[in-house]
Amino acid sequence: MNLYDVIPENLFSILVSPNKNLYVKALFVLLEAFKVQLQISKNELVSMLISSLEDELSITDFSNEKLFENDYSLSGKSHFIIRKLKTDGWIFIETESFVEYVTLPKYSIKVIQLLFDLTHFEDQENFAYVYSTYSSLKMANKDREIFE
């Protein structure tokens, strides 16, 4: 099977665009949102992007992007990011009872998680250290109970 039979051909285009850092941060906002909620409306995602990326949104240069005339506010830029993620295949928008919901395809979840893991490697090391310390203490406690 060909890779591009499974994922869209332009999926990785946001990772090489001039605003790649902003797009990756937006993907991480998506990942965190889906860890907390199973269903996210498009409007909720706009609010999450604004609250998490307000500073980056306000200073990012979108002159190379095809923004609409009313897309230069924080809300407009967040809507643009959502449209861009949808166009490139990172997300799907489904309508249910007149409300638009954002969903993530399986390949998207896996790629976003990989990118997150690559950039948050020290968090994983700390967790492994905490777990190994916990396991060692638990085993030491069991050994102590055996000898008492």
Side-chain angles (χ1 to χ4, degrees), residues 96-144:
E96 183 180 308
S97 302
F98 302 106
V99 177
E100 292 182 309
Y101 290 98
V102 176
T103 60
L104 294 174
K106 285 183 183 181
Y107 60 81
S108 184
I109 295 168
K110 291 179 180 186
V111 174
I112 296 169
Q113 186 64 57
L114 173 67
L115 295 172
F116 185 84
D117 291 345
L118 288 171
T119 58
H120 294 81
F121 186 72
E122 59 278 346
D123 295 344
Q124 294 173 351
E125 282 182 357
N126 291 338
F127 179 75
Y129 179 71
V130 168
Y131 182 75
S132 76
T133 304
Y134 168 77
S135 297
S136 298
L137 291 172
K138 190 172 181 178
M139 289 303 294
N141 190 37
K142 283 185 180 181
D143 290 344
R144 192 183 80 200

Side-chain angles (χ1 to χ4, degrees), residues 9-83:
E9 286 190 32
N10 57 341
L11 183 74
F12 299 109
S13 66
I14 64 168
L15 301 178
V16 294
S17 74
N19 295 325
K20 60 188 168 228
N21 291 321
L22 177 65
Y23 294 133
V24 169
K25 288 178 182 179
L27 292 174
F28 293 166
V29 169
L30 260 174
L31 182 65
E32 291 301 314
F34 276 100
K35 286 182 179 178
V36 177
Q37 301 178 43
L38 294 175
Q39 193 174 38
I40 301 169
S41 74
K42 184 177 171 183
N43 290 335
E44 284 178 301
L45 182 57
V46 168
S47 297
M48 290 175 193
L49 289 172
I50 291 170
S51 67
S52 298
L53 306 174
E54 182 175 1
D55 293 336
E56 287 93 345
L57 286 170
S58 61
I59 61 171
T60 298
D61 179 20
F62 285 94
S63 60
N64 294 335
E65 307 281 1
K66 296 178 182 175
L67 270 67
F68 295 132
E69 209 172 284
N70 59 348
D71 280 348
Y72 288 94
S73 66
L74 292 177
S75 175
K77 289 177 181 179
S78 296
H79 279 282
F80 171 78
I81 289 171
I82 292 171
R83 283 194 311 273

